[in-house]
Amino acid sequence: MPLESCMILLDNSEFMRNGDYIPTRLEAQSDAANMIVNQKTQSNPESTVGVIAMSSSGPSSGAELLVSPTDDLGKILSALHGVPLCGEMVRNGKDAVDIAASVQVATLALKHRRNKNGAQRIVLFVGSPLTCAEARSFIKAGKQLKKNNVFIDVIAMGELGDNEPKLRELVDAANGSSANEEGAERNCHLVTIPAGVLPSDVLITSPIFRGDAAPMGGDMGGAAAGAGGGGGDTFAAYGGVDPNMDPELAMALRVSMEEERARQERVSAAAAESNQEEKSGDGEDDAAAANNAESMEGITAGVENDEDALLQQALAMSMAENQASSTTEETTAAAGESTAMDMGDDDDDAAMQMA
């Protein structure tokens, strides 16, 4: 990422005690700010980060500069974790935090940054209701940021119904009129965090964390599915986790994803092999059935042939028996006639002798 000087504005009013974010708004904000600080400092070693608390216990009860833009990570983290809750719920018809005044203090701190070559950016956390401030004050503050070449990223936590329209006016004014053109890049972003969702889970896939410019309409308003939303392709091989931020978690996720991919490939290969075996088994069964049918047909044909042969043989035997009986009868008749003739001859001879 390019060199950048960033000011983080924290909301530490009494409204941050609410437990609609786990565990409270203040601690969820601190966790998200800690992640942004690590990302900014590790992406470029010359980048600097400062911290401002938008409520203070002093006479002014306004914004308090805790740390000027610096690259000392220990000093930054110490300021983040030491932000106390202070201020009043409502101060004489004013909101618990003054967004316009806090943005002006952050712009002044960036103006006196050490390295003038880098870009300027403000990351604003808002968790208090903005009921008293008028929309025109946000538009004026946004135009002033645009004039000073300062980008702003706004993270809205709670009170979204009242705060989101005004905060969007601030972001749109900071982007300028050219950002309203179709396909134009927007260097300022608004991210709304629904209740019950960890801000860090939403921010990790947002343009604020990735540091890229979103196209028109790229603000992640109402990012209820931010943890699995668009932008995770940047670190898809590591499960959406930046390996520079948490190398152990990123490597564990990568190994787990590779193992799951290998398991799915094995399951797919086993299923394909099983289907192929079933198809080959069906072919063998069909061939065996065909062979059995042919064998049965052969046996049936053989039995039919055997029956025909037996019938022919029986018919031949019957005819032979008939012929034999007729021959016997003829022989007997002939023998009888011969005997009769012999007896007649004998009788004749005897008569002649007696005569």
Side-chain angles (χ1 to χ4, degrees):
M1 292 181 61
L3 174 63
E4 186 178 76
S5 293
C6 177
M7 291 297 300
I8 297 180
L9 276 60
L10 300 177
D11 188 343
N12 60 327
S13 67
E14 291 291 335
F15 288 98
M16 301 302 287
R17 293 183 184 274
N18 290 350
D20 49 353
Y21 296 88
I22 301 174
T24 62
R25 290 186 185 181
L26 182 66
E27 295 187 25
Q29 170 188 254
S30 177
D31 179 59
N34 186 18
M35 184 182 67
I36 292 175
V37 167
N38 288 327
Q39 189 264 346
K40 296 290 185 185
T41 55
Q42 293 182 13
S43 60
N44 192 311
E46 296 184 4
S47 295
T48 57
V49 179
V51 181
I52 290 178
M54 291 191 290
S55 294
S56 63
S57 57
S60 62
S61 299
E64 179 183 0
L65 179 64
L66 301 179
V67 177
S68 299
T70 179
D71 56 358
D72 188 346
L73 184 59
K75 186 183 294 186
I76 299 170
L77 296 180
S78 177
L80 286 177
H81 294 287
V83 176
L85 289 172
C86 57
E88 301 176 358
M89 302 289 283
V90 179
R91 301 174 302 170
N92 300 324
K94 296 182 179 180
D95 295 325
V97 293
D98 191 342
I99 300 298
S102 300
V103 169
Q104 289 180 359
V105 173
T107 303
L108 185 62
L110 290 172
K111 184 178 180 180
H112 294 87
R113 66 191 184 278
R114 182 179 59 189
N115 194 337
K116 305 293 183 180
N117 295 326
Q120 305 173 80
R121 183 175 296 275
I122 296 174
V123 178
L124 172 63
F125 287 88
V126 181
S128 303
L130 305 175
T131 55
C132 299
E134 298 181 357
R136 61 183 180 182
S137 64
F138 291 94
I139 297 175
K140 182 179 179 180
K143 290 182 178 179
Q144 191 67 26
L145 291 174
K146 177 66 175 177
K147 181 180 179 181
N148 294 326
N149 295 322
V150 178
F151 306 132
I152 185 170
D153 294 327
V154 181
I155 303 168
M157 301 172 54
E159 318 297 339
L160 301 179
D162 296 331
N163 294 354
E164 185 175 359
K166 297 178 180 180
L167 295 175
R168 191 171 295 280
E169 293 285 352
L170 172 63
V171 172
D172 291 342
N175 277 316
S177 58
S178 59
N180 296 326
E181 299 177 359
E182 185 176 358
E185 292 184 350
R186 300 168 66 93
N187 293 306
C188 303
H189 312 94
L190 170 64
V191 176
T192 57
I193 313 295
V197 179
L198 287 176
S200 56
D201 291 342
V202 178
L203 293 177
I204 197 170
T205 56
S206 69
I208 295 178
F209 186 79
R210 299 199 314 269
D212 55 358
M216 177 61 182
D219 291 340
M220 298 181 63
D233 294 339
T234 306
F235 306 112
Y238 299 95
V241 177
D242 186 358
N244 296 323
M245 299 296 297
D246 195 341
E248 294 181 358
L249 177 60
M251 185 57 62
L253 289 174
R254 181 175 182 178
V255 172
S256 178
M257 292 174 65
E258 290 178 353
E259 291 178 352
E260 178 63 19
R261 190 180 299 112
R263 187 189 67 81
Q264 293 178 357
E265 290 177 355
R266 290 195 301 269
V267 171
S268 301
E273 184 177 356
S274 177
N275 292 334
Q276 187 174 2
E277 290 179 355
E278 289 179 359
K279 291 180 180 179
S280 61
D282 293 340
E284 293 177 356
D285 293 341
D286 294 340
N291 293 333
N292 292 334
E294 292 178 357
S295 300
M296 291 300 295
E297 291 177 357
I299 293 172
T300 304
V303 170
E304 292 177 354
N305 294 334
D306 292 342
E307 290 179 355
D308 293 339
L310 291 174
L311 289 173
Q312 293 293 337
Q313 185 177 0
L315 182 59
M317 291 176 65
S318 176
M319 292 177 65
E321 289 178 355
N322 292 334
Q323 290 177 359
S325 61
S326 61
T327 303
T328 304
E329 291 176 356
E330 291 177 357
T331 304
T332 304
E337 291 178 357
S338 176
T339 303
M341 289 178 66
D342 291 342
M343 289 179 66
D345 290 341
D346 292 340
D347 291 340
D348 290 341
D349 290 340
M352 288 179 64
Q353 289 176 4
M354 290 178 66

